[in-house]
Amino acid sequence: MITERFPRAARCDRIAPFHVMALVERAQALAAAGHDVIHLGVGEPDFPTPPAIVEAGRAALSAGQTRYTPAIGIPALREAIAGFYQTRFGVTVSPERIVVTPGASGGLQLLMAAMVGPGDGVLLSDPGYPCNRHFVELVSATPQPLVLSAADGWRIEPAAVAAAWQPHTRVAMFASPDNPTGNVLSGEQVRGLAAVARERNGALIIDEIYQGLVYEQPAETALAVAPEVLVLNSFSKYFGMTGWRLGWVVAPPALVPDLDRMAQNFFLAPSTPAQYAALAAFQPDTLAELERRRQVLAARRAYLLEQLPALGLKVVGSPAGAFYLYLDVSAITDDSYAFSRALLEQAHVALTPGVDFGPGHQPSRYLRVAYTCDLPRLEEALVRLSRFMETL
């Protein structure tokens, strides 16, 4: 007999669901029913994994590379990632500092488990990627939202971080490029943020998951200006390997043994075939294909930046990276979630409402657009969006 009496942790109530997933499920149901749904909601590139990576994965499987690896990754991949920092950014990173993880989410879980616990605070941006605060909750630490200002373009100022830093704060974590705003931190900002953390005996984590997807300026790494910063990265977005579940952390040498021990216990190891496949991510032909894809995304971004204001949709911030635009729709609706539901039902266009990105920045005013479909589909989406808005 199944009973409803069972232990239940209080964090189950603190870790909120992804509200957008209800819209995703509805979009999938509409598509299954034969409707032509344009997906501009989920943050996943529409490009397939580059062929060289797929072939390397197949070769690894054929060669029997299916057993456990070291918990923090095969040496060849850690060395390849270190080499990428050197050749792409001119930054020397020892392979011993690199921890390969089961996705960036696995890396963030390791970092939170190793660095904070009950009573400790972690500063996070609001708006910001929602899972970040949930990983803080997972280890019973306290998320400390730093509510950013739309009037300032969501800019993260070191002085504001210093003012928000409390006696129990141990870590500040920000993304560059950012989800949902697309903002990119300048070197000056990173230096200032690192100084704030250093002066308070804390740590700064920079999420660089969208690092290669930067437009109208060179891609950079925080390690170029602040070597003590902890960096979180992934093979998902730029390298097109979302389902392979592989990421990495660049950590101070003193922290690596702790991360290794955590990884041994939490995950045993990252995916073996995925690690061998990822070795091909740094090959010249793969990097050339990734650059071509970045240029495609740049063209989509330029189109939306030109067309959206004509519909009365204001792009907020300076979306120089990732593949998102964050829109102020307060002139049209006071409930962006309800707007998103109606848009999906009536026009079959899926967007992401601001509710998932933090409660402090008036999320009902905002929508996120992911330009993860080709230009003809974006054009059709805007036609449908315009017609929908005429009915309001």
Side-chain angles (χ1 to χ4, degrees), residues 88-106:
R88 176 61 65 95
F89 306 109
V91 173
T92 299
V93 177
S94 169
E96 284 71 32
R97 292 182 59 193
I98 293 168
V99 175
V100 182
T101 61
S105 295

Side-chain angles (χ1 to χ4, degrees), residues 293-314:
R293 295 178 180 190
R294 189 192 66 82
Q295 292 176 6
V296 169
L297 288 170
R300 298 174 184 177
R301 169 183 174 272
Y303 171 76
L304 290 176
L305 287 175
E306 178 183 353
Q307 296 297 321
L308 286 169
L311 298 180
L313 300 172
K314 180 183 178 183

Side-chain angles (χ1 to χ4, degrees), residues 189-205:
Q189 285 173 288
V190 172
R191 286 190 195 92
L193 294 170
V196 169
R198 184 171 56 251
E199 290 162 3
R200 288 154 180 78
N201 295 315
L204 174 66
I205 299 171

Side-chain angles (χ1 to χ4, degrees), residues 338-355:
F339 180 94
S340 298
R341 291 200 309 268
L343 177 66
L344 178 60
E345 294 292 339
Q346 299 175 36
H348 302 146
V349 175
L351 302 178
T352 302
V355 63

Side-chain angles (χ1 to χ4, degrees), residues 92-127:
T92 299
V93 177
S94 169
E96 284 71 32
R97 292 182 59 193
I98 293 168
V99 175
V100 182
T101 61
S105 295
L108 187 52
Q109 183 177 341
L110 292 178
L111 288 173
M112 292 298 99
M115 299 177 70
V116 295
D120 295 332
V122 179
L123 277 168
L124 304 163
S125 64
D126 180 342

Side-chain angles (χ1 to χ4, degrees), residues 131-150:
C131 291
N132 289 348
R133 62 181 183 269
H134 299 157
F135 278 113
V136 176
E137 293 277 10
L138 186 63
V139 295
S140 299
T142 304
Q144 297 176 264
L146 178 70
V147 180
L148 305 180
S149 168

